[in-house]
Amino acid sequence: MAWHGAAFDHGATRFQLTGAHATTPCQSCHTNGNYRLTYTDCYQCHSAQFQMSANPNHVAANFPHDCRPCHSTTAWRPSAFNHDQQNF
């Protein structure tokens, strides 16, 4: 039995890799060899960006931890925040 040539299809999981996630090295998310991650939201990996956001201040504004309404996996900036589309 050999491990060479093994493949993992992220597209068949709950966390599909799109945009910048598709080119991010596996170890950036799977630290210490943890390949059993179960979360699928942005905050788990991007909590530092959320906490440091100043324009607008995400913490003070009590924004939800789901980044997808304003940010994409293609580019963090510019954001696509639209007051009319938010349910805060």
Side-chain angles (χ1 to χ4, degrees):
M1 179 191 312
W3 291 98
H4 302 285
F8 181 81
D9 180 10
H10 240 285
T13 70
R14 292 184 300 153
F15 194 95
Q16 297 189 10
L17 300 179
T18 61
H21 291 143
T23 58
T24 300
C26 301
Q27 294 78 12
S28 293
C29 298
H30 298 284
T31 58
N32 300 318
N34 181 3
Y35 291 94
R36 295 183 181 265
L37 303 176
T38 58
Y39 51 82
T40 58
D41 65 352
C42 309
Y43 189 76
Q44 297 296 325
C45 292
H46 296 285
S47 61
Q49 291 91 339
F50 181 90
Q51 298 290 329
M52 294 180 353
S53 295
N55 185 20
N57 184 319
H58 290 32
V59 175
N62 200 28
F63 283 0
H65 289 167
D66 184 1
C67 306
R68 293 173 294 182
C70 303
H71 300 280
S72 73
T73 60
T74 304
W76 193 253
R77 291 184 184 150
S79 67
F81 183 79
N82 182 333
H83 279 277
D84 296 332
Q85 295 178 353
Q86 304 309 314
N87 295 319
F88 299 135

